[in-house]
Amino acid sequence: MASHSLAFPLFFLLFILFSSSISSSSAALVQQQPLVLKYHHGALLKGNITVDLVWYGRFTPTQRSVIVDFIRSLGYPRSPPPSAASWWRTTEKYKGGSSNLVVGRQAVHEAYTLGKSLKNRHLRALAGKFNAAPGTITVVLTAADVAVEGFCSRCGTHGAARPGSAFVWVGNSETQCPGQCAWPFHQPMYGPQTPPLVAPSGDVGVDGMVINLATLLAGAVTNPFGGGFFQGPADAPLEAVSACTGIYGSGAYPGYPGQLLVDKATGASYNAHGLGGRKFLLPAMWDPTTYACKTLV
């Protein structure tokens, strides 16, 4: 089955940089087209969705708790605004009602039974260990010392698993390619070099994983099997969040994530509150009612 990768969007940044360099007189001749993700009449993942987690490699209990709390925060309505739950509610506007994520089973593979250099087939094998039922998303998370085929040219992927279920893979990029997969908590490898932001959890790799996991979970529920909402070719689609690359707050432009909230105690930048006082930085999501990338702040 085909999978959809969260690629490092250098081409996208270069396009915007080129576009922004056009003179005002020339730009006046070009009307900006609205961003439209077309619905391709396929199934979406709606209703109650179990999210099973496969931890491959060594993660600390603190690292695991950040990821689990993030997923639980997506369905936790009592967080103060702006909240992770309000960010996730945008997915309700994609035909068919809400997608309610519930953390299910977890498996911890600390012995590196498949080695420290994984192929795509290894990710599929790990995702298949739970024998997922329809309406399930199995998330495979690889530790910082695990190399994955294509990692850094992509920061993660999602695709169809067993009938009616999906899988997601996200890797910890902290030691391999934080400039590609943990921006804006690390200086980008290309483009404008602005100072990195302080990560909300204090862990650049894990907070980068939260951003990429958020992107891929949104893609998994709005385009789980290749016939949902996307723009462009089906084998390299721009989806609910990947269509809004690099936008985290109002006023964002290439190299600048936008205006964000700052924790006075830690100096960390964030835009969403979560479960138990957690703070997260979440990317913009395309809103089908406004045809625009929607930010929380």
Side-chain angles (χ1 to χ4, degrees):
M1 299 294 289
S3 61
H4 306 142
S5 297
L6 175 56
F8 176 63
L10 176 59
F11 74 94
F12 182 77
L13 294 180
L14 289 176
F15 172 77
I16 295 180
L17 283 169
F18 172 76
S19 300
S20 64
S21 68
I22 299 175
S23 68
S24 58
S25 59
S26 299
L29 302 176
V30 180
Q31 288 189 342
Q32 185 176 3
Q33 297 299 311
L35 177 63
V36 177
L37 304 190
K38 182 181 177 182
Y39 177 51
H40 294 76
H41 306 291
L44 310 183
L45 284 181
K46 295 292 182 176
N48 294 326
I49 301 167
T50 299
V51 180
D52 293 330
L53 302 174
V54 179
W55 305 90
Y56 188 83
R58 292 189 177 91
F59 289 88
T60 68
T62 298
Q63 289 176 322
R64 291 200 298 267
S65 69
V66 171
I67 299 293
V68 171
D69 284 352
F70 164 65
I71 298 171
R72 288 176 172 160
S73 294
L74 296 178
Y76 184 72
R78 294 193 294 275
S79 298
S83 69
S86 64
W87 177 83
W88 185 249
R89 278 197 294 272
T90 301
T91 62
E92 296 179 10
K93 302 177 182 181
Y94 287 74
K95 290 189 183 296
S98 62
S99 302
N100 307 313
L101 305 185
V102 179
V103 176
R105 297 167 292 180
Q106 297 188 54
V108 179
H109 297 268
E110 292 189 327
Y112 300 95
T113 52
L114 298 177
K116 291 188 176 184
S117 181
L118 303 185
K119 303 292 186 183
N120 289 327
R121 59 186 173 84
H122 295 134
L123 300 178
R124 291 280 186 176
L126 289 168
K129 287 185 178 296
F130 277 134
N131 193 22
T136 300
I137 300 174
T138 302
V139 178
V140 177
L141 303 123
T142 51
D145 59 348
V146 176
V148 175
E149 180 181 6
F151 195 22
C152 298
S153 62
R154 58 176 182 163
C155 302
T157 192
H158 80 84
R162 295 176 180 271
S165 64
F167 89 98
V168 167
W169 160 68
V170 175
N172 186 331
S173 67
E174 183 173 16
T175 59
Q176 299 182 56
C177 47
Q180 287 102 316
C181 299
W183 184 84
F185 302 125
H186 190 281
Q187 283 189 304
M189 180 167 288
Y190 306 101
Q193 297 296 305
T194 54
L197 304 181
V198 177
S201 75
D203 188 318
V204 168
V206 169
D207 282 320
M209 292 181 79
V210 167
I211 291 173
N212 297 323
L213 179 58
T215 302
L216 291 162
L217 286 174
V221 301
T222 60
N223 187 33
F225 313 119
F229 285 85
F230 64 89
Q231 182 187 83
D235 58 350
L238 292 177
E239 298 177 321
V241 177
S242 60
C244 302
T245 295
I247 303 171
Y248 296 89
S250 60
Y253 55 81
Y256 173 61
Q259 297 181 20
L260 303 172
L261 304 175
V262 177
D263 187 307
K264 293 181 180 179
T266 65
S269 295
Y270 68 100
N271 60 9
H273 294 276
L275 185 72
R278 291 279 191 196
K279 295 178 174 66
F280 304 106
L281 182 63
L282 302 181
M285 189 187 305
W286 184 73
D287 187 328
T289 63
T290 62
Y291 298 97
C293 294
K294 179 181 179 181
T295 61
L296 286 171
V297 294

